[in-house]
Amino acid sequence: MGNSVCKGKTVFMDTTRIKSLQNSSTGVIKAGEHKIKSHLSTESQGLSCFTQDHSDQRDGREIVQGFLGQNKVMIFSVTSCQLSAQVKELFRSMKVSFCVLELDQREDRQEIQQALWELTEQRELPSVFVNRQHIGDWEKTSQAHREGRLQALLDMQEVNLSPDLYDYDLLVIGGGSGGLAAAKEAATYGKKVVVLDYVTPTPKGTTWGLGGTCVNVGCIPKKLMHQAAILGQAIRDSQRYGWELQEKVSHNWRNMRQAVQDHIGSLRFGYSKALRDSKVTYMNAYGEFVGPHQIKATNSKGKETFYTAATFIIATGERPRYLGIPGDKEYCITSDDLFSLPQSPGRTLVVGASYVALECAGFLAGLGLDISVMVRSILLRGFDQHMANKIGEHMEQHGVTFIRQFVPTKVRDEYHPYIFRSSEETVGVELLVYSSFVWFLQVLLAVGRDACTRTIGLDTVGVKINVKTGKIPVNEEEQTNVPHIYAIGDVLEGKLELTPVAIQAGRLLARRLYAEHSTKCDYTNIPTTVFTPLEYGACGLSEEDSIQKYGEDNIEVYHSNFWPLEWTVPARDNNTCYAKIICYKQDSERVVGFHVLGPNAGEMTQGFAAAMKCGMTKEQLDNTIGIHPVCAEVFTTLSVTKRSGGDIAKGGC
């Protein structure tokens, strides 16, 4: 036994085997795509019935949106429905004007009902709207009346109904990469644009400026610290290449942190200047809907200002999730805090198996720190599991300890002895587990992220979200169920959470809104890279998803190990790097999945992603002459199928 004492974190764990949670999903809600003027009047405190105008060739969505745009209270009904009659009587008793469209009097009844279904997912009539917000059928309308919600919606004033009278043409909530891209693009078409951005401090008090997660606490600092770890490996390799180090080399966290933060500061300055040059107004304020076209902006001093806009884009992104256990917010940090820590975190437990968890664990270990990763179930959920397991194996071989099928139950901050136990007493987790607790200097939570949508007033204006995840369902044009409100980036349901995706979607959305373009964001075959010590690049389907989509007999997997030439002289990681393509046999062996583990994986993946957009096939890869000697040439010589069980080890050049 041995003991040493220093201040640290004690993590209590649930040692029972963790069962995977079943994911739930909700359907995508579609909304109308155009706005029209109805030219139809309503009667004060009464009802108006309209029959079919046979010259009207608009589709159902246009008709529905036209009525919603012109009427504060809109009821879609049929003349013979008793429940519809009750809804009308309710509004009469409230002395509220309303408009009714009796669908049984129209020849286009089916088109309108289909449009209503796409907008509300309600098939029954009546269907009631107030201030464009869908209330529901008779039962939900009467319930809203009893609870006071109906009167609150009726009291909500629709300000500046004429587009010319709005304060702004476009108001963007969120100053991350996607929101800034949309704002600047809209401004190029002469639109008056404002961006609201406010970062709520973390429990540790960490905050930052314009630019969103990617620039401040995501892609940029992560890649730079990953590079710092790579340079450490390069220093060790250099001795085999003849470099003689005259003194011991050590890493200085403070110097690295300062250099990284200086670079981030320069990027933020550039973003602010770009907004000024584009004549986009930027406000450091928290945006919250208070009316269909009105936002309350609250600055850091609590001052509230109100603005109106014709159109809104929600680009609020996500923030790291906490565990909801004793001590998590008091004593743990997240990736929002890590990159600005004033000193090295030291011996660290990373909780989670997401790409954020493994990337952070990887570069911290590369900087020479003692790192453990606590994993509930599988690594990199949603990614190709064959590749994920190879990443885990490589990290373990390079000193990262994995504590599998455990979850923390409590964290406390105290002076505690570092207690050694024999492997027999701790059942294979030597030096880590003692009486069901683990001791570290720092605990980094990376257990997922939550969409920042629950406190921005979306319920006030009727924007629907996934109740479980907070994600926003949109149609193929990033339009929510409220026609003048759009969403882009990480808040979208069922879309990849990547900076370039948000940027592309934001630019294209602005072009469709203001430049009569029609191009929509293509969310298929999007390349990405996980910057673990052994980098992982991917594009298209995982092996599991390929089998599920096409059937195991209809795909062919070609794969091979490879050994980067640069690694041969230091004689490290032989046959650790790996390349794999998944081909759909029924379509000329079109490549539907591209996967690579190795140095500069992102640089390789980007080029092959463009080829996959063009329908790249295995034959085309075979007919491509490789560049020698580089890692990417392995994809031009793949011949062994996974099905065959053939040897994939590489030797020589």
Side-chain angles (χ1 to χ4, degrees), residues 416-437:
H416 195 88
Y418 184 98
I419 303 177
F420 293 82
R421 303 292 288 181
S422 70
S423 59
E424 291 81 7
E425 291 173 302
T426 56
V427 196
V429 282
E430 186 178 2
L431 309 183
L432 289 178
V433 175
Y434 174 66
S435 300
S436 299
F437 65 77

Side-chain angles (χ1 to χ4, degrees), residues 223-269:
K223 180 73 182 296
L224 292 174
M225 292 193 179
H226 171 67
Q227 175 64 13
I230 289 175
L231 290 174
Q233 181 63 60
I235 291 171
R236 293 189 290 274
D237 289 351
S238 69
Q239 298 176 65
R240 294 297 299 270
Y241 280 97
W243 290 94
E244 297 179 355
L245 305 179
Q246 301 301 319
E247 56 186 57
K248 182 181 178 180
V249 177
S250 61
H251 182 263
N252 187 305
W253 175 275
R254 290 176 182 269
N255 289 348
M256 176 189 68
R257 172 197 176 278
Q258 189 60 52
V260 169
Q261 291 301 318
D262 286 347
H263 178 67
I264 291 172
S266 70
L267 293 178
R268 285 201 296 258
F269 176 81

Side-chain angles (χ1 to χ4, degrees), residues 246-313:
Q246 301 301 319
E247 56 186 57
K248 182 181 178 180
V249 177
S250 61
H251 182 263
N252 187 305
W253 175 275
R254 290 176 182 269
N255 289 348
M256 176 189 68
R257 172 197 176 278
Q258 189 60 52
V260 169
Q261 291 301 318
D262 286 347
H263 178 67
I264 291 172
S266 70
L267 293 178
R268 285 201 296 258
F269 176 81
Y271 290 142
S272 298
K273 183 178 184 302
L275 290 181
R276 289 195 300 271
D277 292 345
S278 300
K279 294 182 172 55
V280 173
T281 302
Y282 162 61
M283 299 180 188
N284 182 212
Y286 191 91
E288 180 183 356
F289 283 98
V290 293
H293 284 271
Q294 190 174 34
I295 284 284
K296 177 177 69 176
T298 307
N299 67 17
S300 58
K301 297 181 179 179
K303 181 181 178 182
E304 296 178 353
T305 311
F306 295 84
Y307 301 99
T308 60
T311 304
F312 297 85
I313 296 178

